[in-house]
Amino acid sequence: MDARRSTRTLLAGLATAALLAGSAGAASAADASPAGDGARALCKRAPKVDQRIDRALKRLDAGKARRGSVARLQQRVDNAKKAGHTEIATFLQGRLDTRESLKKDLEQRKKDLAGVKTWCAKNGGGKKDSGK
């Protein structure tokens, strides 16, 4: 009986110690985060980010036959209105508004990314990162 109790007490103590050690390790790992703004990494990823934005804009700008395009969703809204399905039209209109907003955001990101690419070219691909 006493052996079981001491074993349980020992295991509970070890578990508590492990939790405390784990949280202390996580705190020290958070303190060891690198300084800087990540310019080098962003400069390295810029071409792929640009491709992803282009691909998304191409899909949004496609015609009615392309899934995910603004034109196709607009056609669905129009069809729902013609059929008198006001609830469906309202739901789809909300999606259309979101998709049009996404298109504006992506166009702005494309402009911003062009500035980043220019900066990266002038600064050696971000190797002159102030944090390092």
Side-chain angles (χ1 to χ4, degrees):
M1 193 85 166
D2 289 326
R4 284 187 190 173
R5 182 174 292 170
S6 62
T7 303
R8 279 188 285 181
T9 305
L10 176 65
L11 291 176
L14 289 174
T16 304
L19 287 173
L20 290 174
S23 63
S28 66
D31 292 340
S33 64
D37 59 359
R40 187 180 307 167
L42 182 57
C43 288
K44 187 176 180 180
R45 287 193 323 261
K48 291 206 180 235
V49 172
D50 194 29
Q51 289 174 350
R52 289 179 68 193
I53 291 172
D54 286 341
R55 190 171 57 233
L57 285 171
K58 182 179 176 184
R59 182 179 58 246
L60 290 170
D61 290 334
K64 295 177 184 177
R66 176 81 162 115
R67 291 179 68 185
S69 70
V70 172
R72 182 179 176 123
L73 192 51
Q74 180 64 56
Q75 181 65 41
R76 291 180 64 195
V77 170
D78 295 341
N79 290 344
K81 287 179 182 177
K82 284 181 195 173
H85 301 152
T86 54
E87 292 82 6
I88 303 298
T90 302
F91 176 78
L92 292 175
Q93 184 63 49
R95 288 181 59 193
L96 180 62
D97 294 342
T98 301
R99 197 165 292 175
E100 288 172 342
S101 173
L102 174 64
K103 182 178 173 186
K104 289 177 187 173
D105 287 346
L106 288 173
E107 288 168 347
Q108 183 60 46
R109 285 184 188 182
K110 183 133 179 92
K111 290 177 188 174
D112 294 344
L113 189 61
V116 168
K117 285 181 172 182
T118 303
W119 184 90
C120 289
K122 290 180 182 176
N123 291 286
K127 292 180 181 169
K128 297 176 184 176
D129 192 357
S130 61
K132 298 202 176 187

